[in-house]
Amino acid sequence: MPLTVQRSGVIESARYRQVLGQYPTGVVVVTALDAAGTAVGMVVGSFTSVSLDPPLVAFLPDKNSSSWRSLRESGDRFCVNVLAAAQEDVCRAVATRKTDKFHDIGWQPSPQGNPIIDGAVAWIDCVTEQIHDAGDHDIVIGRVLDLDLGDGEPLLFYRGGYGSFMPHSLAAGDADLLDQLRRIDLARPHMEGLADLFGTEVTAITLVRDELVLAASAGRTELAASPTRVGQRLPFAAPLGSCYAAYGDAALRERWLSTISEQLTPEQLERLREVPDTVRGRGYAIALGHSELSDLERISTLLHERAPDVSPETLREAMARVTDGYNPADPIPADVELRSLSAPVFAPDGTVAFTLTVWGPAEPVAPEEVTRYANALLATATNATRAIA
Ligand SMILES: Cc1cc2nc3c(=O)[nH]c(=O)nc-3n(C[C@H](O)[C@H](O)[C@H](O)COP(=O)(O)O)c2cc1C
């Protein structure tokens, strides 16, 4: 469809943000030490390489930013830290705190003495070469003095949300996913509250056509198989995504089972037929056993990365191997390894908009602890349902 071109002398700020927000960026933290030796820093999306010879980079700070003032007053040296996909919390902390931004963020001094944030995927030490005036922003040109790589994938920022790079993860046709991402963002404070309560990770998983897409995450668990789960995709097939089957119609339940039925024994199939009602009765889905289920997560990640010896068939076989860990009938055994609990968040039309998953601790938990997780999860899902209404 051709773009409609409107010409008008006035550019509304909301329109400006909306249109320019179509352009994704990475996220860096520009750091320095102030005169007292305290780390100062600013989250910046407007970072770019400028010139190779001489080596120059640039970023564009808001003239009114107090963080920029602190950086500027600290001297002419600064370090650009490219944040990793798992460092959304670092980004939020540095962007929102006014003072003592680094009190719980680990860092090492760069050759120029500026903070290099632990876990950054790259750092670039600079000396300010020029500062240009540009409307309500400055354009800071830095000459690169030193630079190096860390590990991992970078954090990305797009339309007000965070993510990580995944080839074709927002391919044409994923318009549904974009709608879901907007809804999930409304539920984000509730996800963060739950993640804080248990010191773990809370993820939002949505069904896009025939795939379960891990669309957002809050907090962290050391049990994750990869640094960020965001972007992971798994087939919508038993035993995964049981909340969707639980609240879906007969056709959806059938689709949930038929995709994997060839890999299942008749006994497994029989048991899985009961699962949607079990989940609906409890109000949540439960998954037990860390090593088995992290193996499944590992295989799905390999498939996504197009590892040569992993096929969709390998993944379905792995799913069939772990069905017993999902949604066992009552009573749930004592001292289990609680992998995760998932509950539905409903759209205004009563369908499941997305599911929230809270990830359990490494050590086995008593039944009362499972109940505590379940109650907190259900309360969070109810609040999220209200938030998106
Ligand atoms: C992802 C992200 C990218 C940002 N990019 C810029 C930027 O390019 N330039 C800028 O001036 N502020 C940027 N900000 C905002 C600043 O980091 C900072 O939060 C803002 O200036 C707050 O004002 P303060 O420095 O007075 O606390 C960005 C914030 C986020 C979360």
Side-chain angles (χ1 to χ4, degrees):
M1 204 172 68
L3 283 175
T4 317
V5 180
Q6 285 177 345
R7 293 189 188 279
S8 136
V10 185
I11 308 276
E12 299 269 337
S13 64
R15 184 78 179 142
Y16 177 92
R17 284 174 208 271
Q18 183 195 18
V19 173
L20 275 295
Q22 297 301 312
Y23 188 62
T25 71
V27 182
V28 303
V29 176
V30 179
T31 59
L33 287 189
D34 69 10
T38 308
V40 292
M42 176 173 184
V43 174
V44 167
S46 60
F47 170 73
T48 181
S49 63
V50 174
S51 156
L52 183 61
D53 187 16
L56 301 175
V57 295
F59 69 96
L60 284 71
D62 186 333
K63 284 176 182 165
N64 287 320
S65 157
S66 58
S67 312
W68 167 223
R69 194 177 332 113
S70 304
L71 280 170
R72 196 171 183 166
E73 287 170 4
S74 72
D76 62 357
R77 308 289 150 127
F78 62 88
C79 185
V80 176
N81 291 260
V82 180
L83 291 190
Q87 290 185 305
E88 201 180 311
D89 51 348
V90 173
C91 170
R92 287 181 196 275
V94 176
T96 53
R97 287 180 195 153
K98 292 290 174 193
T99 56
D100 203 12
K101 290 177 182 241
F102 290 83
H103 81 260
D104 55 358
I105 299 172
W107 58 270
Q108 314 291 323
S110 70
Q112 295 295 317
N114 302 306
I116 296 176
I117 296 172
D118 294 350
V121 301
W123 59 265
I124 304 140
D125 239 353
C126 303
V127 57
T128 305
E129 179 116 339
Q130 294 155 14
I131 300 181
H132 298 282
D133 179 88
D136 53 17
H137 279 58
D138 286 321
I139 301 176
V140 182
I141 309 278
R143 179 184 281 260
V144 178
L145 300 177
D146 212 328
L147 73 179
D148 206 353
L149 293 173
D151 284 322
E153 303 280 332
L155 179 65
L156 302 184
F157 185 73
Y158 172 57
R159 284 186 173 175
Y162 297 91
S164 60
F165 183 71
M166 195 66 66
H168 300 132
S169 67
L170 285 181
D174 268 1
D176 299 2
L177 181 55
L178 289 179
D179 282 344
Q180 297 297 20
L181 287 174
R182 275 190 280 273
R183 281 181 171 158
I184 291 168
D185 236 34
L186 296 173
R188 176 166 280 288
H190 303 290
M191 292 173 64
E192 283 171 354
L194 183 62
D196 282 352
L197 182 64
F198 292 105
T200 186
E201 186 174 15
V202 172
T203 51
I205 295 169
T206 180
L207 180 61
V208 182
R209 291 183 300 277
D210 54 357
E211 282 185 317
L212 296 163
V213 181
L214 201 151
S217 130
R220 241 189 266 178
T221 160
E222 71 273 25
L223 294 173
S226 55
T228 177
R229 291 173 154 142
V230 173
Q232 278 182 14
R233 285 167 181 248
L234 284 160
F236 174 60
L240 308 173
S242 58
C243 283
Y244 283 96
Y247 294 88
D249 57 16
L252 191 83
R253 287 186 179 197
E254 201 44 50
R255 180 147 72 88
W256 183 68
L257 280 176
S258 62
T259 314
I260 194 167
S261 54
E262 277 182 22
Q263 278 80 18
L264 299 173
T265 64
E267 295 74 35
Q268 282 178 317
L269 198 57
E270 189 80 345
R271 193 186 75 77
L272 285 171
R273 279 196 192 286
E274 308 299 322
V275 161
D277 287 335
T278 307
V279 169
R280 203 164 165 145
R282 286 181 180 140
Y284 59 86
I286 181 165
L288 305 175
H290 289 308
S291 56
E292 300 84 344
L293 301 195
S294 69
D295 194 47
L296 176 62
E297 205 174 321
R298 192 182 54 79
I299 292 172
S300 81
T301 308
L302 287 174
L303 178 65
H304 203 97
E305 290 167 353
R306 300 188 170 80
D309 49 348
V310 181
S311 66
E313 174 77 14
T314 324
L315 180 63
R316 282 199 301 274
E317 282 165 10
M319 286 166 63
R321 276 200 298 277
V322 299
T323 53
D324 291 351
Y326 286 88
N327 302 302
D330 278 328
I332 291 168
D335 299 323
V336 287
E337 280 181 359
L338 177 61
R339 180 71 180 164
S340 66
L341 290 177
S342 304
V345 174
F346 295 99
D349 68 1
T351 61
V352 177
F354 54 90
T355 60
L356 289 181
T357 297
V358 59
W359 296 80
E363 62 283 356
V365 294
E368 310 81 70
E369 192 62 2
V370 175
T371 309
R372 197 167 77 88
Y373 271 83
N375 289 343
L377 172 67
L378 289 172
T380 305
T382 304
N383 288 333
T385 297
R386 286 202 195 107
I388 69 169

